[in-house]
Amino acid sequence: MAIRFIILTLLFLSSCTIPSLSLYEDQVGLMDWHQQYIGKVKHAVFHTQKTGRKRVVVSTEENVIASLDLRHGEIFWRHVLGINDVVDGIDIALGKYVITLSSDGSTLRAWNLPDGQMVWESFLRGSKHSKPLLLVPTNLKVDKDSLILVSSKGCLHAVSSIDGEILWTRDFAAESVEVQQVIQLDESDQIYVVGYAGSSQFHAYQINAMNGELLNHETAAFSGGFVGDVALVSSDTLVTLDTTRSILVTVSFKNRKIAFQETHLSNLGEDSSGMVEILPSSLTGMFTVKINNYKLFIRLTSEDKLEVVHKVDHETVVSDALVFSEGKEAFAVVEHGGSKVDITVKPGQDWNNNLVQESIEMDHQRGLVHKVFINNYLRTDRSHGFRALIVMEDHSLLLVQQGKIVWNREDALASIIDVTTSELPVEKEGVSVAKVEHSLFEWLKGHMLKLKGTLMLASPEDVAAIQAIRLKSSEKSKMTRDHNGFRKLLIVLTKARKIFALHSGDGRVVWSLLLHKSEACDSPTELNLYQWQTPHHHAMDENPSVLVVGRCGVSSKAPAILSFVDTYTGKELNSFDLVHSAVQVMPLPFTDSTEQRLHLLVDDDRRIHLYPKTSEAISIFQQEFSNIYWYSVEADNGIIKGHAVKSKCAGEVLDDFCFETRVLWSIIFPMESEKIIAAVSRKQNEVVHTQAKVTSEQDVMYKYISKNLLFVATVAPKASGHIGSADPDEAWLVVYLIDTITGRILHRMTHHGAQGPVHAVLSENWVVYHYFNLRAHRYEMSVTEIYDQSRAENKDVLKLVLGKHNLTAPVSSYSRPEITTKSQTYFFTHSVKAVAVTSTAKGITSKQLLIGTIGDQVS
């Protein structure tokens, strides 16, 4: 009996034991999750030889070169080039080198195809800007070497693919010729180089590609002139537009003679009134012309006549030509049809026949198709099949094969332009019977899968399901709020106008939303995210929501657009096309009864507009009318201004939510000696736990805490460029601390021999900024702390006990503050891209600086 009691006791204690998790010391600081993206693809080259992994090499608008697994879409390797190192073209040489041309045709590189290691790099010189062109011929080989032809900077270069040596160069800029195309002749070591001199003189050069020898040069003038891109329809014929954009000019340069043939668009049955352009393509015997909102597919007949083979008035994308068999070519046409996308592969020069015709369901959140690249493969019956790599409007990348989406990548996350957070919902205690039954079923299913895994009977699908169950059951991946508030939704806005909600626990995409274009706005720009509605957990009748503000156009005078998005569901609640612009958006520290935050939008005429447009919002705003101030920074003009609300707008149309403003103060920096390069203020929601700081000498100093503090950094105009653009004697960095209510300069410091870029963060009573010291040839970080001397007398404990202190006295920005500063400078070995500071709900935890380095590391 005693033994049974002991066993029962041990079982009870073991069932009450709470498992605990811990980290080893070397695991501290490791990332919870890590994701890599490449951006919107603009070039793609397939490599699908029988030996080795099948892959596709791409370059993107984010200046990324990457090799992707063709089976799963995973990244084999990738390289992120510099901001100004824009990729102009890519290709594959000798079956083992990835060749990239970048920096406006001035940098040519070779990368090892399997692992992405750089093999060589060559810099191409020239005297004049010209269109960069890259050509990797397949038949121009010398021993084991292969030639690479590059046209850039007004010159044509022949480069060795093995070591990057420049074999020969021909300067066309000296002859005032702007090269338009470099054409390889079939089964020959000769090339054609064609271009314009001025707008009406056409030149055709025949060159020996092996040594650069000029074999023939013909030139002819066309009175109508040339404009826009050219379409190469054969090895000796191209098509372009005349200067009126109403005539298609066919230029033939065969048999050492140049001939022009004009075809009026009206003769093809088309109206040329509007914007006409030839779209870049590489189809043999065919090209595409875009007229306003429709496209013409035009073929060059055997009699050198032009005829329209197809016309579409909706979004249609055509791929480049693909040689898939000896003497056979194919190209793909992708058209939208409602919720479906139709993919048709046609044989070259034959529009009426189809090699493949497929239709796939496409999520409308991906938008329209922007680009398509095709590749062929052999089926088991030895017939040719085709796969399509599709680039969507939302920058996502999809591989389609046999009418199915094999894989997709959300590469819009490579171009995040703004981010905010949203609290997760509170976990509710009440659970329905249906949920219990569902949970029981999932529990039984999970245990069966785990049993199969233990007995090594699980299929690959079962293994993936087991991993998904483990991830779902993890505490950090729950879709409810945790006790400490660490679990959140990261709401990110991308350059593609797509919003993603990422779970902070594992980085998965919870939902995504593509902000669709409206009838009034076809190209929204300058998008930004703001917290719109943040209900407290005790009043969660409404879901949190965010506000997206953008402009309908590039100009600052362009009308603004607003969009309101639910952060739990990803549903767009509402959207507006405004009649006024929005050059500045100011969230106010006031909310209405539904927890909607009040916002002020400043238009180009310096009027402010209140949102939301409700009677409650205007009532709250009028109560705080005299306490609302803001500032504006005109970096190009070297002016900082302070503003306040004046009165309601006076106009023909009465608007109770529009107000005139007035300028309270302005600071004008002399343009000949100072240029504004940085301006940073405190976060409005920052919480400061304590106002005092005890120094190492046991002295008490009171922090100067003001939400109206602005940090400004200026440099000498000669030192406003890249590092090293000015001598140390010509460079200086001046930093200011300014009160934005009065415009009073509270602190000023000059760093001689220093220049930007400056990255700074302002928190509590201190500011940290990073810059480059030209004299010492190193990066430095300086910190400045501001203390309030007017409260220095509050150090007597007896006065504090008796209440004879001024700690609770109101503080006004109009009373001259008695402040003192302490500064210190440190060496810092890294180049910095971003600086931020940690924050907590109560401000108790010590502040930590988060520094993003140029090597994409966070320290």
Side-chain angles (χ1 to χ4, degrees):
M1 188 70 180
I3 295 175
R4 183 181 298 177
F5 175 76
I6 293 172
I7 293 174
L8 289 174
T9 304
L10 289 174
L11 288 173
F12 174 76
L13 291 175
S14 63
S15 65
C16 294
T17 303
I18 300 175
S20 60
L21 301 175
S22 61
L23 289 175
Y24 290 103
E25 184 178 357
D26 60 349
Q27 291 179 310
V28 176
L30 295 179
M31 63 191 70
D32 286 337
W33 49 270
H34 178 223
Q35 297 176 354
Q36 287 184 317
Y37 300 97
I38 58 176
K40 185 180 182 181
V41 171
K42 60 181 182 180
H43 304 114
V45 180
F46 291 89
H47 185 265
T48 55
Q49 294 181 355
K50 293 182 179 179
T51 58
R53 294 176 173 178
K54 291 179 172 58
R55 66 182 73 212
V56 57
V57 181
V58 299
S59 70
T60 71
E61 293 182 355
E62 301 303 317
N63 300 344
V64 174
I65 303 164
S67 174
L68 304 180
D69 183 0
L70 206 53
R71 297 184 183 276
H72 307 290
E74 298 172 351
I75 298 175
F76 284 139
W77 55 263
R78 71 165 193 162
H79 293 289
V80 182
L81 305 183
I83 297 176
N84 299 320
D85 200 1
V86 179
V87 181
D88 304 308
I90 63 171
D91 210 331
I92 295 178
L94 298 177
K96 59 180 180 180
Y97 297 141
V98 177
I99 308 298
T100 62
L101 181 66
S102 60
S103 295
D104 200 22
S106 63
T107 306
L108 188 68
R109 299 183 180 95
W111 314 82
N112 194 31
L113 180 61
D115 56 14
Q117 295 293 320
M118 190 168 71
V119 181
W120 51 260
E121 181 180 41
S122 293
F123 298 100
L124 309 177
R125 307 298 179 188
S127 58
K128 185 181 179 181
H129 170 76
S130 63
K131 181 170 64 174
L133 299 170
L134 173 65
L135 178 63
V136 181
T138 56
N139 62 335
L140 298 182
K141 294 185 178 181
V142 181
D143 296 330
K144 295 182 180 180
D145 199 356
S146 177
L147 290 184
I148 301 169
L149 299 175
V150 177
S151 174
S152 66
K153 302 293 182 181
C155 298
L156 179 65
H157 309 270
V159 183
S160 167
S161 61
I162 292 181
D163 55 12
E165 179 187 358
I166 300 175
L167 303 177
W168 56 263
T169 299
R170 185 170 186 86
D171 188 1
F172 291 98
E175 304 176 39
S176 301
V177 175
E178 184 176 350
V179 176
Q180 296 296 318
Q181 287 283 349
V182 179
I183 308 161
Q184 178 189 4
L185 300 181
D186 295 334
E187 302 300 329
S188 172
D189 59 357
Q190 297 177 12
I191 58 172
Y192 273 129
V193 179
V194 296
Y196 305 144
S199 61
S200 60
Q201 195 75 21
F202 184 84
H203 290 260
Y205 299 84
Q206 192 173 356
I207 298 174
N208 187 329
M210 295 302 180
N211 53 25
E213 178 187 356
L214 180 62
L215 303 177
N216 185 52
H217 175 210
E218 299 292 337
T219 181
F222 179 70
S223 58
F226 309 106
V227 69
D229 288 331
V230 300
L232 185 68
V233 291
S234 70
S235 61
D236 52 18
T237 307
L238 58 83
V239 180
T240 185
L241 287 167
D242 76 332
T243 52
T244 64
R245 293 184 181 269
S246 62
I247 299 175
L248 292 171
V249 183
T250 305
V251 185
S252 174
F253 42 91
K254 52 188 169 184
N255 300 326
R256 299 192 174 187
K257 290 183 180 180
I258 298 176
F260 302 107
Q261 184 172 331
E262 301 179 30
T263 305
H264 289 262
L265 285 171
S266 57
N267 293 342
L268 298 175
E270 303 302 330
D271 181 13
S272 61
S273 60
M275 187 60 187
V276 181
E277 60 178 325
I278 294 179
L279 299 181
S281 64
S282 64
L283 301 179
T284 302
M286 194 178 301
F287 62 99
T288 309
V289 176
K290 183 179 180 182
I291 304 177
N292 296 329
N293 293 325
Y294 63 91
K295 295 176 183 177
L296 297 176
F297 297 94
I298 302 175
R299 178 172 56 196
L300 180 69
T301 65
S302 57
E303 295 82 15
D304 290 340
K305 302 291 184 181
L306 299 181
E307 64 176 11
V308 177
V309 296
H310 193 59
K311 177 181 177 180
V312 290
D313 57 358
H314 51 277
E315 292 294 334
T316 302
V317 180
V318 181
S319 73
D320 287 340
L322 168 72
V323 179
F324 66 95
S325 183
E326 291 185 6
K328 293 183 180 180
E329 289 187 353
F331 64 94
V333 180
V334 181
E335 298 180 272
H336 282 268
S339 62
K340 292 186 177 182
V341 171
D342 299 320
I343 304 173
T344 306
V345 179
K346 297 177 177 290
Q349 299 184 341
D350 189 357
W351 187 273
N352 298 322
N353 293 325
N354 299 328
L355 297 175
V356 174
Q357 192 168 12
E358 298 172 346
S359 182
I360 59 171
E361 288 286 341
M362 187 66 70
D363 185 0
H364 71 281
Q365 294 294 346
R366 298 194 182 278
L368 302 174
V369 175
H370 276 194
K371 282 182 181 292
V372 59
F373 308 91
I374 62 170
N375 176 243
N376 70 296
Y377 62 94
L378 284 177
R379 298 192 180 103
T380 54
D381 59 358
R382 309 304 295 173
S383 63
H384 288 279
F386 296 89
R387 56 174 71 96
L389 188 69
I390 299 178
V391 183
M392 302 298 296
E393 182 182 357
D394 69 338
H395 297 190
S396 60
L397 187 65
L398 302 87
L399 183 72
V400 177
Q401 186 172 324
Q402 296 181 351
K404 295 182 180 179
I405 298 176
V406 181
W407 50 260
N408 67 83
R409 294 179 50 86
E410 295 288 358
D411 282 309
L413 290 168
S415 55
I416 295 174
I417 56 178
D418 204 356
V419 61
T420 186
T421 60
S422 175
E423 295 287 351
L424 286 165
V426 177
E427 189 171 5
K428 297 180 180 179
E429 295 181 359
V431 182
S432 64
V433 175
K435 187 173 181 180
V436 171
E437 291 176 351
H438 178 72
S439 299
L440 180 61
F441 173 75
E442 290 293 329
W443 181 81
L444 291 172
K445 179 182 175 182
H447 275 275
M448 288 298 296
L449 287 172
K450 290 176 183 177
L451 180 61
K452 291 174 69 176
T454 304
L455 299 176
M456 302 183 70
L457 299 175
S459 64
E461 292 78 12
D462 293 336
V463 173
I466 293 171
Q467 293 175 348
I469 291 173
R470 287 173 178 170
L471 184 64
K472 187 177 179 180
S473 62
S474 174
E475 280 290 325
K476 68 178 184 180
S477 62
K478 284 186 176 180
M479 283 298 297
T480 55
R481 195 178 308 182
D482 63 316
H483 177 70
N484 294 315
F486 291 146
R487 282 199 301 266
K488 294 180 184 293
L489 285 179
L490 305 177
I491 312 298
V492 299
L493 177 64
T494 66
K495 194 187 297 182
R497 309 189 328 275
K498 193 168 189 179
I499 305 175
F500 292 87
L502 307 179
H503 196 288
S504 63
D506 52 15
R508 72 181 184 275
V509 176
V510 179
W511 56 259
S512 61
L513 170 70
L514 179 65
L515 298 174
H516 291 280
K517 304 172 184 177
S518 63
E519 295 182 0
C521 186
D522 186 54
S523 56
T525 59
E526 300 294 329
L527 299 172
N528 287 286
L529 271 177
Y530 301 92
Q531 295 278 1
W532 176 251
Q533 189 173 19
T534 312
H536 291 91
H537 64 274
H538 56 76
M540 291 294 287
D541 297 330
E542 299 285 343
N543 289 348
S545 57
V546 292
L547 167 67
V548 182
V549 182
R551 286 206 303 255
C552 186
V554 180
S555 171
S556 61
K557 297 182 179 180
I561 57 171
L562 303 182
S563 180
F564 304 89
V565 180
D566 189 316
T567 62
Y568 285 175
T569 63
K571 180 182 178 181
E572 188 173 18
L573 303 175
N574 210 341
S575 62
F576 299 101
D577 295 318
L578 307 182
V579 296
H580 60 80
S581 60
V583 296
Q584 189 176 354
V585 181
M586 296 178 293
L588 299 178
F590 317 120
T591 57
D592 60 14
S593 58
T594 62
E595 303 287 347
Q596 287 184 345
R597 183 173 295 277
L598 274 61
H599 286 70
L600 291 179
L601 272 63
V602 185
D603 64 19
D604 189 63
D605 296 324
R606 289 299 166 188
R607 294 180 176 182
I608 60 173
H609 303 264
L610 177 65
Y611 291 88
K613 290 190 173 185
T614 61
S615 57
E616 183 182 5
I618 195 68
S619 175
I620 296 172
F621 180 77
Q622 288 176 343
Q623 293 176 7
E624 303 292 340
F625 191 89
S626 59
N627 295 324
I628 296 176
Y629 301 86
W630 71 96
Y631 68 91
S632 61
V633 179
E634 301 174 18
D636 294 336
N637 300 324
I639 302 175
I640 302 177
K641 296 179 181 179
H643 307 269
V645 186
K646 182 179 179 182
S647 60
K648 286 189 176 182
C649 295
E652 297 180 359
V653 180
L654 183 62
D655 188 354
D656 293 333
F657 302 93
C658 175
F659 297 87
E660 301 281 356
T661 64
R662 57 193 175 101
V663 177
L664 295 177
W665 55 266
S666 62
I667 298 176
I668 302 176
F669 296 94
M671 299 291 290
E672 63 275 5
S673 61
E674 294 186 61
K675 178 180 176 61
I676 300 175
I677 61 169
V680 178
S681 59
R682 274 185 59 191
K683 290 183 179 179
Q684 292 298 314
N685 59 350
E686 184 182 39
V687 178
V688 180
H689 178 67
T690 177
Q691 297 185 15
K693 178 182 178 180
V694 180
T695 65
S696 57
E697 291 83 12
Q698 303 300 315
D699 191 16
V700 178
M701 301 188 72
Y702 288 91
K703 302 174 184 178
Y704 181 76
I705 300 172
S706 173
K707 292 186 177 181
N708 306 314
L709 207 58
L710 174 67
F711 169 83
V712 177
T714 66
V715 294
K718 290 185 178 180
S720 60
H722 57 84
I723 294 175
S725 59
D727 295 331
D729 295 334
E730 299 175 325
W732 54 82
L733 169 68
V734 186
V735 296
Y736 300 85
L737 289 173
I738 302 172
D739 189 299
T740 59
I741 303 296
T742 61
R744 183 180 289 117
I745 297 176
L746 304 178
H747 176 70
R748 181 180 185 274
M749 178 183 292
T750 302
H751 300 270
H752 293 283
Q755 73 171 123
V758 172
H759 299 277
V761 61
L762 180 61
S763 177
E764 292 193 353
N765 69 317
W766 51 263
V767 59
V768 174
Y769 51 99
H770 176 275
Y771 56 92
F772 189 79
N773 189 326
L774 289 170
R775 296 186 187 278
H777 301 285
R778 66 192 174 207
Y779 289 101
E780 294 181 352
M781 292 190 76
S782 294
V783 56
T784 300
E785 297 180 344
I786 312 106
Y787 294 98
D788 190 350
Q789 288 294 95
S790 64
R791 306 193 176 196
E793 59 185 28
N794 298 319
K795 300 177 183 179
D796 193 333
V797 178
L798 183 60
K799 287 184 178 181
L800 292 172
V801 172
L802 297 176
K804 295 182 178 181
H805 57 80
N806 63 349
L807 290 178
T808 58
V811 178
S812 173
S813 291
Y814 286 101
S815 59
R816 187 173 184 84
E818 301 176 19
I819 64 169
T820 183
T821 61
K822 289 187 175 183
S823 299
Q824 184 69 48
T825 299
Y826 305 90
F827 305 149
F828 196 79
T829 57
H830 301 288
S831 178
V832 171
K833 292 170 65 175
V835 181
V837 63
T838 59
S839 62
T840 54
K842 303 298 182 183
I844 301 175
T845 308
S846 299
K847 301 284 186 178
Q848 303 289 330
L849 277 181
L850 299 177
I851 300 174
T853 66
I854 197 70
D856 293 330
Q857 295 178 328
V858 179
S859 58

